[in-house]
Amino acid sequence: YPVLYMHDGQNLFADSTSFIGEWHVDETLDSLYKATGLALIVVGIDNGGEHRINEYTSWTHQKYGGGEGPEYAAFIVNELKLMIDSTYRTQVDNNAILGSSLGGLISHYMIYTYPEVFSKAGIFSPSYWFSEEVITFTETHSFSKEHKIYSIMGDKEGEQGLKAFDLTNEIMKGSKYLIFKHRTIPGGEHNETFWSQQLADCIVWLYKEEL
């Protein structure tokens, strides 16, 4: 099976473990399988609570700190993925990464840093505002074969976030070998309800050639 790695695992499958609501990932996957036959393994990776900002950022912020994203990404690639591939019936070369907010930021970092591992990414409401280095990073990284990125943000997520989203998207649109879908969605807010509503469309678009 293809494998989709998702950040903020506490928020994916159950209200009881979530921050302010779940993504309904299991229900969405069940519905997609019944409608399309698409079957995935989803690996939800819990965040570290008070360490979440450090885990999900590859650069530092004067107010919020951060910067341990490279170590977190390396853990997923070099330890977690090996365990998943050795335990389950996976398509070892068919991997995607998906997250929201800071999870969207680290997903952006990971597909550009490990393009040989991740061929697809879902980037929801990415916190590109966290560091101006996101622009330089994106400008200096590219793909040597086809990759797909699905990126969304709601139009009610704040001027700073929307401006950084648009600036980064302009760079990404010029990336060779990148199949890129990005949308600013009317009424969308920065929360799990919005992200869960967009999940099915993202998965179908990322995997449409496999349906």
Side-chain angles (χ1 to χ4, degrees), residues 6-7 39 83 125 130 132 140-141 145 167 186:
M6 296 184 67
H7 311 292
M83 186 272 286
S125 305
F130 191 86
E132 294 181 356
T140 55
H141 286 72
K145 61 181 181 180
L167 286 172

Side-chain angles (χ1 to χ4, degrees), residues 121-132:
I123 298 175
F124 288 13
S125 305
S127 300
Y128 291 144
W129 56 265
F130 191 86
S131 174
E132 294 181 356

Side-chain angles (χ1 to χ4, degrees), residues 47 62 92 105 116 156 175 204:
N47 67 58
Q62 184 175 3
V92 295
L105 180 63
E116 73 284 1
K156 296 187 180 300
S175 180
V204 169

Side-chain angles (χ1 to χ4, degrees), residues 38 50 93 96 98 101 116 122 126 134 165 192 199 204 206:
L38 178 65
E50 64 183 17
D93 296 324
L98 193 156
S101 192
E116 73 284 1
V134 173
F165 182 70
E192 279 73 15
L199 182 61
V204 169
L206 289 176

